[in-house]
Amino acid sequence: MKSDNMSNLIKNGAIWGFIVLELIFFQIAGEFWSLSERAFMDLDNMLLLLKQSAPIGIIAVGMTVIMINGNIDLSVGAIYALCAIVMLDSMSWPFMESLGDWAIPLAWLFALLTGAVLGLINGIIVWKTGVDAFIVTLGSMLGYRGLVFMYNGENPTYHLNWTMVDIAEWDIFGVETPALVFLVVALIVWFVMTRTVHGRNAYAVGNNREAAVNAAIRVGPHMLINFVLIGFLAALSAVTFYSGSGSVNPNDGMLFELWAITAVVLGGTKLIGGAGSIVGTFGGVIAIQLLRKGLGHIGADTATVNLVIGLILIAVLFLDRQLNVKGKEELKV
Amino acid sequence: MTEKTPVLRLEGIVKTFPGVRALDGVSLTLLPGEVHALMGENGAGKSTLMKVLGGIYQPDEGQIIVDEQPVVMSGPLEAKAKGIVFIHQELSLATELSVAENIYLGELPRKRFGLVDWAQLEANTNKILKKLNVGFNAKTRVGSLSIANQQMVEIARALTVDAKAVIFDEPTASLTDAEKVVLFEVIADLQSQGVGIAYISHRMEEIFKITDRISVLRDGQYQGTVNTAETDEEGVTQMMIGRKLDLSRNESHHELGEVAIEVRGLSCGNLYEDVSFEVRRGEVVGFYGLVGAGRTEIAETLFGLRNPSAGTILMDGEEVTIQSPADAIARGISLVPEDRKGQGLVLGMNCRDNMTLPQVGDLTAGPFVSDGAEVAIFDQYRDKLDIRTPGWRQTVGNLSGGNQQKIVIGKWLSMHPNVLIVDEPTRGIDVGSKSEIHNLIRELAAQGYAVIVVSSEMPEVLHVSDRIVAMYMGRIIRTFTSEEVTEDNLIQAISGIGGGKAA
Ligand SMILES: Nc1ncnc2c1ncn2[C@@H]1O[C@H](COP(=O)(O)OP(=O)(O)OP(=O)(O)O)[C@@H](O)[C@H]1O
Ligand SMILES: [Mg+2]
């Protein structure tokens, strides 16, 4: 069991080791290649990084829960876009305009409700039909994205409200609202997953569904709750981002689901479910954002960035496999 | 006993699956404070009956009566609420979670706001574990436990609630003798509290040791109930399979051939050390010892699943290294593994494909897999091993536990290996098929195969082996010939007492 603890330690520590490595690399590489004069590892830059990782990060937190459950949700990007539209568009509804700035919390509420309801729909279908979540959310991803386009065609939806922008850019000690929301969400969900009955059941359901059913855990409703949660978080992510930007394109949020899944997997959550952690996902999100930013810092273009992240993802999965083979002990067929 | 009100009654239960009438009008009464054995061949419907009772399956006809009230068991939740606890035949555990979380799965103690009450959880669990006298604690991860210990976790669940009735479906299939004693104490304890216990097992010794009454099923039909004190093994076997069995010890020896496999000074970390033995063609060598003595690990090494840290393996006099199961198969070594669900079967695949899996590469007709040849192999071994299935198209996951085991055995037999290693070959197999499998092992040896049998059942090793290797704590204590061996000296050898000449 010692070696069990040992390899767990390596696995949980790996993502943080990787982050430190990235920091050192970009710091040194930046000295030679950087286009800007600034050092990579300064506080402002790191705070900015946290803020920039918030939209994907908030979704990735929800994705962790879904994936620990042994499910997957591909519709989060579409939910994100649709909720952004609901929020911005609702601001210009006549009765909302008459409310002045009091329309802001109401718009947020509409967006969050929309997210929760869209998640609820996913959850109900998965529960009642028993169809795999991959298929269900693949369908709803297309469907929800369709709704996005029906709203305003190819045109962007926008509504700029300076009070809202102020709230979005408000900060304590340099930590701006989006970063703060990300941190708080991660903390709360981490708490739920490690300390509450619902959280522990999530692991049980993902690890051995039959055992969970036999133990009288109501698996359907349990998964439903998690789908509502991720829908809500996708909406929250949209709220924090678009409150500041004020304009949404119908293509926004595309591939968000894949980035979120990448972060979750990098953070050590198993694709088959049953194991994983919010702390790991947090590390995964930061690691990806660091890579993007770092590669940008030394002048690489987006295509290179994606290539590198892809390679690293494969390398991480490979390493994970190697770590699971314990020395001279058993090799599975 | 007769005047007590039964804790539960089943009346005229019928349950059909596509192509199978698994239960055909079965009735059963469970009294408080009794241990009621349920017996029958593999596929007779024992587990199905208990699943109907536990709310996992809905009966097509018939009634369940708890405390003289007819009830509908809508699911496990309802059964639990009615005080019926179900210990499953197949382990039903979440391996990534801790022991405590598994024991209280679905009913973790709560504080406010749905928080888990960890302190209470741990205290409760450790209390139960203490009673069970096991070597792990509440925080151990279940996946790191041996199968026997996982079974103990499963059993611990019976002690979490105030149960009215506890159903044990083959709880001892993977337990060692020491743990069995503990289990029987637990059962006696429950019994004295007036809990009704339904007990399924294929092991006659146990049945006669702990049960009060025996009910027998055959092909889904109820054969009757007898008081244990008023019957004997032969009587029960007769009820189960309608004929008598020859349970004598192995006397005949066949001609032994060349040494097929020899092992010299083999070690694997601290799993086992300095192990040497040889097996000739035509010989059955039994490996006997307590669970954890290193027998399974030796088998796994020979099959290329583990790398030895020292020593050599020789086949037909030539030194070989076996890197992987593919290597082993190529050299004619087959292993029927101990853990059938984890290693031996693809549960979602049908019977035929499971059986022919290791040799599909050879069964080709042009670029395609030859269906006819596959079916022929399946038919042959279905008849030989008496596998009960509506047809080869049935998904293996839907077979009864014992019949799954037979598919695994059939799979490796059909490979015609030089060296056949079987690890606990009759775990969970009924008495009738057990003696079939024993005969088959003898027959294979007679045809010139070298056979290694790893078993924790003394009657089994005594019955099939030409020589018996007794192991204790990773070392070979002594090798017996079938003339030398007695139950006493064998027990002494595997407990590390005395031992006489070392092998
Ligand atoms: N889910 C299912 N679908 C189809 N057939 C099933 C299913 N479950 C059980 N059966 C069939 O019902 C019959 C009874 O199976 P059951 O598991 O009750 O046997 P058992 O008496 O417990 O045998 P064993 O001693 O081998 O555990 C078998 O023929 C089995 O193939
Ligand atoms: Mg059974």
Side-chain angles (χ1 to χ4, degrees), chain A residues 49-61 176-189 236 240 278 281-286:
Chain A
L49 181 137
L50 196 61
K51 178 186 167 186
Q52 286 167 337
S53 57
I56 301 254
I58 295 169
I59 294 176
V61 167
E176 287 189 36
T177 310
L180 206 62
V181 172
F182 177 31
L183 289 176
V184 169
V185 162
L187 197 72
I188 292 175
V189 178
L236 186 62
T240 46
I278 300 294
T281 295
F282 186 78
V285 170
I286 298 296

Side-chain angles (χ1 to χ4, degrees), chain B residues 17 20 22 42-48 57 89 170 202 398 400-402:
Chain B
F17 295 110
V20 197
N42 297 129
K46 305 178 295 297
S47 298
T48 307
Y57 294 152
Q89 176 171 15
E170 297 197 41
H202 290 295
N398 287 341
S400 79

Side-chain angles (χ1 to χ4, degrees), chain B residues 78-154:
Chain B
E78 177 124 23
K80 220 183 211 175
K82 297 229 155 49
I84 297 169
V85 178
F86 194 167
I87 311 300
H88 289 265
Q89 176 171 15
E90 308 294 344
L91 291 170
S92 176
L93 300 168
T95 49
E96 295 281 347
L97 299 186
S98 72
V99 168
E101 285 174 297
N102 267 287
I103 294 178
Y104 283 91
L105 196 62
E107 49 186 9
L108 293 170
R110 295 162 187 259
K111 292 190 291 196
R112 287 155 301 138
F113 313 123
L115 293 182
V116 178
D117 189 343
W118 293 107
Q120 177 164 13
L121 177 64
E122 198 175 330
N124 289 353
T125 306
N126 281 333
K127 209 157 62 194
I128 294 174
L129 293 181
K130 197 152 168 236
K131 212 185 253 174
L132 294 176
N133 198 13
V134 289
F136 50 88
N137 63 37
K139 287 194 177 136
T140 314
R141 195 173 63 89
V142 165
S144 68
L145 296 175
S146 67
I147 296 196
N149 280 332
Q150 293 189 3
Q151 185 71 55
M152 292 307 272
V153 173
E154 187 82 54

Side-chain angles (χ1 to χ4, degrees), chain A residues 51-315:
Chain A
K51 178 186 167 186
Q52 286 167 337
S53 57
I56 301 254
I58 295 169
I59 294 176
V61 167
M63 192 67 87
T64 313
V65 180
I66 292 282
M67 286 175 70
I68 285 173
N69 245 193
N71 289 323
I72 204 149
D73 189 342
L74 299 177
S75 68
V76 284
I79 294 180
Y80 173 84
L82 197 56
C83 293
I85 290 182
V86 168
M87 179 179 83
L88 294 180
D89 195 61
S90 69
M91 295 286 287
S92 45
W93 296 344
F95 91 92
M96 293 279 279
E97 290 205 307
S98 69
L99 287 175
D101 277 350
W102 285 109
I104 296 173
L106 217 53
W108 288 342
L109 190 73
F110 289 151
L112 295 176
L113 266 177
T114 309
V117 168
L118 296 177
L120 184 77
I121 295 171
N122 284 338
I124 287 179
I125 298 175
V126 169
W127 173 15
K128 292 298 179 190
T129 64
V131 176
D132 204 79
F134 181 90
I135 305 296
V136 171
T137 58
L138 185 68
S140 60
M141 170 178 93
L142 298 172
Y144 295 164
R145 185 63 70 179
L147 290 178
V148 169
F149 279 98
M150 279 162 70
Y151 219 97
N152 225 349
E154 301 279 344
N155 309 313
T157 307
Y158 51 87
H159 184 99
L160 205 55
N161 176 314
W162 289 108
T163 318
M164 203 148 87
V165 174
D166 282 345
I167 298 175
E169 286 178 356
W170 176 83
D171 72 87
I172 9 174
F173 307 125
V175 185
E176 287 189 36
T177 310
L180 206 62
V181 172
F182 177 31
L183 289 176
V184 169
V185 162
L187 197 72
I188 292 175
V189 178
W190 168 78
F191 189 79
V192 167
M193 293 307 282
T194 53
R195 301 295 156 86
T196 68
V197 173
H198 180 82
R200 301 318 291 169
N201 284 352
Y203 284 92
V205 168
N207 191 195
N208 186 343
R209 187 149 163 192
E210 206 175 312
V213 172
N214 288 340
I217 293 173
R218 301 182 62 213
V219 172
H222 172 93
M223 296 199 300
L224 179 82
I225 292 173
N226 291 337
F227 275 105
V228 173
L229 174 75
I230 195 173
F232 176 85
L233 289 179
L236 186 62
S237 171
V239 165
T240 46
F241 184 76
Y242 291 101
S243 291
S245 91
S247 162
V248 52
N249 269 309
N251 279 321
D252 281 7
M254 271 196 188
L255 295 187
F256 267 34
E257 56 283 344
L258 297 187
W259 286 115
I261 292 167
T262 307
V264 172
V265 172
L266 267 181
T269 296
K270 278 196 191 164
L271 274 171
I272 46 166
S277 76
I278 300 294
V279 179
T281 295
F282 186 78
V285 170
I286 298 296
I288 289 184
Q289 194 58 33
L290 254 179
L291 256 181
R292 282 183 162 174
K293 233 180 142 49
L295 289 170
H297 184 66
I298 59 175
D301 58 11
T302 327
T304 321
V305 175
N306 288 351
L307 180 69
V308 170
I309 294 179
L311 288 176
I312 285 175
L313 183 67
I314 292 168

Side-chain angles (χ1 to χ4, degrees), chain B residues 344-366:
Chain B
L345 288 172
V346 186
L347 289 177
M349 239 155 78
N350 69 37
C351 294
R352 181 200 67 185
D353 291 350
N354 258 293
M355 197 179 275
T356 56
L357 194 58
Q359 47 181 334
V360 274
D362 303 331
L363 296 174
T364 48

